[in-house]
Amino acid sequence: EVQLVESGGGLVKPGGSLRISCAASGFTFMSYSMNWVRQSPGKGLEWVASISASSSYIYYADSVKGRFTISRDNAKNSLYLEMTSLRAEDTAEYYCARDHYLLGSGNWFDYWGQGTQVTVSS
Amino acid sequence: IQLTQSPSFLSASVGDRVTITCRASQGISSYLAWYQQKPGKAPKVLIYTASTLQSGVPSRFSGRGSGTEFTLTISSLQPEDFATYYCQQLSSYPRSFGQGTKLEIK
């Protein structure tokens, strides 16, 4: 069974840093691109960052570029998001999601974790 | 690429047929997915590549479209379908989402 379990969320002051993690199991982690998606309270979904299977390709939303770093450790089946210079508007539930790619069909996010809450407040 | 869903809110009854529209600001071929999200839960994929039903999703859900206009149709609403629905384009980065459509019980 595919499982994605986020951890590391919490309360952090504006300007602070936090690293959240996503532990993957039930599939060959090193074969899949992965993503972070966030959702501010009462708001819609916002894609944050993506990383390819071998970490060769990394993409960020403009809203986090230069402040957030996505990474992965395939030996540990883990995905990370290092967040610095945090702002109140970064307050959100952060989800990791597996990127499923099928030749001829493109991509979609087929499995999601349960999320970890990040709150930026003084 | 901006995705605009309509309507943003939809009130319907069990058994109704409903359609949600997602318009892209530029052509995205068929690289569009639909997700359902219930309160306090992670999103769940329903449809990918515009019209392919994800395994395990009931056949009352269907998707159509290509280019810039897409639809998600629920043929006969069931109580468990009342949720928020999002479209997402996977044609290019950033992987943008629509603003969501909240489907409520009338």
Side-chain angles (χ1 to χ4, degrees):
Chain A
E1 180 196 3
V2 171
Q3 282 199 320
L4 298 170
V5 180
E6 299 93 339
S7 62
L11 175 64
V12 61
K13 289 182 168 49
S17 300
L18 194 67
R19 186 176 89 154
I20 57 176
S21 303
C22 172
S25 61
F27 66 101
T28 306
F29 181 71
M30 66 172 63
S31 297
Y32 289 85
S33 295
M34 297 293 295
N35 306 274
W36 287 102
V37 176
R38 68 184 181 183
Q39 186 169 36
S40 299
K43 303 294 185 184
L45 301 172
E46 180 187 14
W47 170 81
V48 173
S50 296
I51 185 168
S52 63
S54 61
S55 303
S56 298
Y57 300 98
I58 289 175
Y59 304 91
Y60 296 100
D62 286 345
S63 58
V64 306
K65 201 174 293 182
R67 300 187 299 123
F68 289 13
T69 302
I70 187 173
S71 63
R72 64 191 295 161
D73 185 335
N74 287 342
K76 294 183 178 179
N77 290 340
S78 293
L79 175 72
Y80 306 102
L81 188 67
E82 184 81 38
M83 302 179 286
T84 64
S85 302
L86 281 161
R87 307 166 180 166
E89 53 265 36
D90 296 317
T91 294
E93 189 82 12
Y94 283 75
Y95 297 99
C96 64
R98 191 177 82 166
D99 197 311
H100 193 113
Y101 173 75
L102 193 61
L103 188 63
S105 295
N107 303 71
W108 63 100
F109 294 2
D110 63 347
Y111 286 94
W112 297 62
Q114 85 290 348
T116 188
Q117 176 67 37
V118 173
T119 302
V120 184
S121 175
S122 54
Chain B
I1 297 173
Q2 308 260 19
L3 297 180
T4 303
Q5 290 182 229
S6 59
S8 295
F9 297 93
L10 183 55
S11 183
S13 301
V14 172
D16 283 355
R17 177 185 180 92
V18 298
T19 296
I20 299 168
T21 298
C22 177
R23 289 187 174 87
S25 58
Q26 62 189 75
I28 58 170
S29 185
S30 296
Y31 299 121
L32 188 104
W34 289 97
Y35 301 88
Q36 176 193 67
Q37 187 181 32
K38 296 182 179 178
K41 299 292 187 182
K44 167 189 164 184
V45 64
L46 301 173
I47 303 276
Y48 60 89
T49 322
S51 60
T52 305
L53 200 66
Q54 173 75 352
S55 175
V57 173
S59 60
R60 62 181 179 272
F61 291 91
S62 63
R64 296 189 65 178
S66 67
T68 61
E69 186 149 335
F70 302 85
T71 59
L72 172 71
T73 297
I74 310 172
S75 60
S76 178
L77 276 172
Q78 298 302 300
E80 61 268 29
D81 299 338
F82 292 93
T84 301
Y85 293 84
Y86 295 92
C87 57
Q88 182 199 22
Q89 68 82 19
L90 299 111
S91 173
S92 64
Y93 289 94
R95 300 279 207 231
S96 42
F97 289 90
Q99 83 279 14
T101 295
K102 186 172 184 179
L103 179 53
E104 298 180 325
I105 301 174
K106 186 182 285 184

